[in-house]
Amino acid sequence: MSMEKIEANVAFAMERLGPLSDVPFGLNEESVAWVEGFIDRQRERPGFDPDNVEGLTGVLGSFLGACLLAAAGGAWHYSDENGWGVRFPNGCLAYPFVKVRKQFRNGTEGGDSISSFYRIAIDVVAGGKLGG
């Protein structure tokens, strides 16, 4: 995936998901919570296959990363080991695509919540509250 694809994914998410949502949709915590519910609703659909959601994972992971950047600053960062992530101004990293993929696989009932990930990433990781 390229930076251009990530930016296109964010625009696609805003254009397509915003009108479906019941919140002021944007790069904000309320929209992350709505997308979390969207993922869980997709998991409930008949014939759902968690191994066949890479396109949706790309769109939603891009959106989640853009929300993190809007809240805490930083920049997208690519590593061969972990793929695309968000590097916060303090140098710490978060991997939104990994978390979206985990929620598709396990659901919130399985302990994977992009809303929790967002709050922890903003408050603890970007906020420098990790113990060292």
Side-chain angles (χ1 to χ4, degrees):
M1 186 176 310
S2 66
M3 269 309 308
E4 293 79 21
K5 182 62 174 169
I6 289 172
E7 290 166 3
N9 281 343
V10 173
F12 182 83
M14 299 284 284
E15 176 185 308
R16 295 297 177 98
L17 297 179
L20 300 176
S21 77
D22 55 356
V23 299
F25 201 82
L27 301 178
N28 56 52
E29 186 171 358
E30 296 82 10
S31 299
V32 171
W34 186 88
V35 169
E36 176 177 279
F38 175 81
I39 292 171
D40 278 347
R41 289 188 297 278
Q42 296 306 302
R43 294 181 77 251
E44 294 169 2
R45 293 175 65 161
F48 172 77
D49 179 0
D51 294 322
N52 194 23
V53 291
E54 277 309 302
L56 201 47
T57 297
V59 169
L60 300 179
S62 297
F63 177 76
L64 179 57
C67 290
L68 293 173
L69 292 170
W76 286 101
H77 172 78
Y78 183 82
S79 76
D80 289 334
E81 185 178 336
N82 297 307
W84 283 101
V86 169
R87 182 184 298 274
F88 296 114
N90 65 6
C92 290
L93 292 158
Y95 294 96
F97 297 98
V98 171
K99 192 60 178 184
V100 168
R101 197 170 290 114
K102 284 182 178 180
Q103 188 179 330
F104 268 118
R105 181 155 308 282
N106 304 318
T108 52
E109 74 278 2
D112 282 305
S113 159
I114 64 168
S115 288
S116 272
F117 172 83
Y118 175 90
R119 285 189 304 276
I120 291 168
I122 298 305
D123 296 342
V124 178
V125 179
K129 296 177 185 163
L130 285 175

